């Protein structure tokens, strides 16, 4: 019995020695391996795999200015305050000048700018900025309050009004030519924030097609001219559908979504692809301003 106990003791001692590393330190306990492919992290939760460095690497460098659009929706005599936030993730300080400008979209959707307060539908005179210059250090976020005060009169809320807030930075850069001549260049970055004042009493939405025809220059170019006949801004989609009279084959051509101010007219251009065979077609043009607005459509017969 004593020999058996001694043999067991020696065997245990050998196993204990094997569990130690060559430095004489004991191996640390290693947790069981985890299959990370089966782990689902909650939405918005940063993953612990990779640590803080992985999280930091996902932060993009640059400037962020939000929001791009503010609609105050005030009644007469009311005052409202909104906020524009500038985040500087660049490695240098930035300076911005703030100013207002009136603007309108032309028939092709391009912006046309005028002096603040020069348009009939301008609300620039109602906008108050507590500062016109801001300096933002690297890693800093700046809150810029935008105050709008609507006059206490019925005429002030009879129609939608708008203006634009511009944030413009000026940065001097030294450019050296091949001859060694140095020139100072001012690089400007300008961002516009759309400021709208849509009185809550204005709810009527409507759009009309004014004309639908082919362009004079090409049988494969068609134009729809539409107008916002409501009292609020609309977001419109438009498309063209061709049906071959003989074969019944149909082709749909979509146009990008576009906004329409009240009373604004817009020309929507469609180009019929070259792979559409020649023949006689029924052509339907559609303007769609949303589910709560009657859809407008027009039809023509054309030969391609």
């Amino acid at each position: 019995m004593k020999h058996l106990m001694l043999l067991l003791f020696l065997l245990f001692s050998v196993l204990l020695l094997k569990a130690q590393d060559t430095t004489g330190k004991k191996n640390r306990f290693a947790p069981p391996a985890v299959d990370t492919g089966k782990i689902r992290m909650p939405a918005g939760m940063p993953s612990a795999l990779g640590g803080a460095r992985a999280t930091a690497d996902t932060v993009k460098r640059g400037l962020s200015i939000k929001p791009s659009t503010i609609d105050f929706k005030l009644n007469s005599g009311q005052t409202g305050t909104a906020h524009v936030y500038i985040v500087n993730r660049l490695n240098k300080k930035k300076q911005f000048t703030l100013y207002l400008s009136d603007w309108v979209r032309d028939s092709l959707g391009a912006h046309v700018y005028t002096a603040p307060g020069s348009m009939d539908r301008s609300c620039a005179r109602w906008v108050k900025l507590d500062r016109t210059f801001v300096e933002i250090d690297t890693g800093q976020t700046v809150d810029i309050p935008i105050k709008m005060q609507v006059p206490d009169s019925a005429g002030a809320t009879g129609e939608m009004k708008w203006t634009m807030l511009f944030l413009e930075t000026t940065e001097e850069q030294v450019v050296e030519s091949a001859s060694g001549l140095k020139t100072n260049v001012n690089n400007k970055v300008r961002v516009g924030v759309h400021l709208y004042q849509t009185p809550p009493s204005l709810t009527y939405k409507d759009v009309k097609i004014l004309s639908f025809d082919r362009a004079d220059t090409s049988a494969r170019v068609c134009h729809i001219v539409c107008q916002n006949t409501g009292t609020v801004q609309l977001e419109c989609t438009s498309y063209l559908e061709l049906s071959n009279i003989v074969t019944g084959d149909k082709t749909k051509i979509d146009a990008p979504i576009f906004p329409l101010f009240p009373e604004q007219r817009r020309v929507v251009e469609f180009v019929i692809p070259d792979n559409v065979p020649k023949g006689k077609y029924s052509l339907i043009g559609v303007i769609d301003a949303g589910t709560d607005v009657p859809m407008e459509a027009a039809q023509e017969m054309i030969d391609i």
Side-chain angles (χ1 to χ4, degrees), residues 185-201:
V185 179
N186 289 329
N187 295 324
K188 293 184 178 181
V189 176
R190 187 171 75 165
V191 177
V193 178
H194 301 66
L195 302 181
Y196 300 146
Q197 158 53 15
T198 309
S201 59

Side-chain angles (χ1 to χ4, degrees), residues 228-243:
N228 182 349
T229 52
T231 58
V232 298
Q233 183 172 225
L234 300 175
E235 294 289 331
C236 301
T237 59
S238 183
Y239 64 87
L240 202 66
E241 187 173 270
L242 295 89
S243 299

Side-chain angles (χ1 to χ4, degrees), residues 111-129:
H111 289 195
V112 179
Y113 299 101
T114 58
S118 60
M119 288 176 42
D120 292 339
R121 285 183 175 266
S122 172
C123 60
R125 293 180 295 271
W126 304 344
V127 176
K128 307 298 179 185
L129 303 175

Side-chain angles (χ1 to χ4, degrees), residues 55-56 95 132 154 173 185 227 246 275 277:
T55 304
Q95 296 175 335
T132 57
Q173 181 180 1
V185 179
Q227 183 177 21
V246 176
N275 60 3

